Amino acid sequence: GYGAFAGEDIDEGEILLKIPVAKCVTLQDALEDLECGPSFANLLKKAGPGSDTVVIAGYLAKEYLLLKEFDRRISEGATADDDSEMRRLANIKFAAYLRTLPWGRGVNAQEHVLFWKDEDVDALLKGSLAYKDATETRATVKMATMVLNAIISPVIRKARAEEEPESKDEGFRFPWQQEPEPESSDEEILEGLEDAVRGAFVIMLSRSFAETVGENTQEDRLEPLLDMLQHSNAPNTECLVKGDGGSI
């Protein structure tokens, strides 16, 4: 993705910028989403610890697919105020930020094991300490895609004016989950969802910050601009949340 680098000396402890928390992509944004918030909250409740990243990635993927649908309509001659759906698509909360993020392999030299083919993972990592983490992460993202398909696809299909296929009653569960999620077959996966969810996970795993919320709770979130200051092999930047919690 994009990176920011100092062009002149900076004093130790010097404040470079402040980011309002309201401009960060947080778990709360996903849970308060008008279209999928209740379903995300239900997933978070059932899946428990470890599902925060899944929920935020799902929220990012949904908004990204809606943004792509907006761009498609605009390219075909639509305008932002044509109808209620276009007005909705024209007001995606983090649209400007989403457009700066590298959603695919090779975008701004983006690379991640989630973009690899299975045979490449085996050929390059099998026998190494990274192999287990890589395969488990890839399996989790594959399962997450199926879970998120049931939550996100109705919203995207509505925006695309597509018919919603029949869903099944019960399916698999995450390793940490008690209750199974509704199952979707490979044929029912929403077009473009796999790439969007994969891209969202890469963004979360490579760019998110773990911030303390409340007394002891750690929460991942995306912090615009600050996520361009973590490209050094020797980390040398620090971010702090102000006492009032309103800015970073």
Side-chain angles (χ1 to χ4, degrees), residues 25-232:
V25 184
T26 68
L27 179 62
Q28 202 60 33
D29 287 307
L31 299 180
E32 293 178 355
D33 181 65
L34 294 178
E35 296 155 325
C36 298
S39 296
F40 285 144
N42 189 44
L43 172 60
L44 190 68
K45 180 180 178 181
K46 291 195 296 183
S51 59
D52 296 27
T53 300
V54 176
V55 170
I56 300 177
Y59 173 69
L60 288 172
K62 177 187 78 77
E63 296 290 86
Y64 174 66
L65 289 172
L66 289 176
L67 188 60
K68 289 186 67 176
E69 175 60 19
F70 174 77
D71 290 344
R72 183 192 68 79
R73 292 189 181 198
I74 291 295
S75 70
E76 294 180 354
T79 63
D81 59 356
D82 272 357
D83 52 37
S84 59
E85 188 63 38
M86 279 300 288
R87 286 190 289 274
R88 153 69 180 102
L89 295 176
N91 288 283
I92 292 173
K93 183 176 181 180
F94 297 105
Y97 179 52
L98 294 178
R99 292 187 187 280
T100 71
L101 298 174
W103 287 87
R105 187 179 191 181
V107 178
N108 296 324
Q110 172 90 303
E111 182 60 287
H112 198 280
V113 70
L114 288 177
F115 293 130
W116 296 7
K117 296 179 180 179
D118 289 340
E119 53 267 33
D120 292 333
V121 175
D122 288 341
L124 297 173
L125 297 181
K126 198 165 188 177
S128 73
L129 296 176
Y131 183 70
K132 181 180 179 182
D133 283 344
T135 54
E136 287 181 352
T137 299
R138 288 165 61 84
T140 295
V141 172
K142 184 176 181 179
M143 289 190 291
T145 301
M146 297 181 71
V147 171
L148 293 170
N149 184 59
I151 297 174
I152 296 172
S153 64
V155 177
I156 307 302
R157 292 185 195 281
K158 178 183 176 182
R160 295 175 179 172
E162 297 177 353
E163 292 186 4
E164 179 68 19
E166 295 183 3
S167 59
K168 299 183 179 180
D169 294 331
E170 187 175 279
F172 58 85
R173 67 195 71 195
F174 286 110
W176 60 81
Q177 189 175 354
Q178 297 296 321
E179 298 295 329
E181 292 293 328
E183 183 178 25
S184 298
S185 68
D186 290 341
E187 290 74 27
E188 295 171 331
I189 294 293
L190 177 75
E191 181 181 354
L193 182 66
E194 290 178 296
D195 288 341
V197 171
R198 186 183 301 113
F201 265 93
V202 170
I203 289 166
M204 286 298 298
L205 293 174
S206 64
R207 307 178 75 86
S208 65
F209 289 78
E211 300 288 1
T212 300
V213 179
E215 294 185 0
N216 298 307
T217 304
Q218 288 282 314
E219 178 184 297
D220 288 341
R221 63 187 179 200
L222 293 173
E223 300 173 351
L225 295 182
L226 293 181
D227 63 5
M228 297 194 295
L229 303 177
Q230 35 54 312
H231 290 67
S232 172

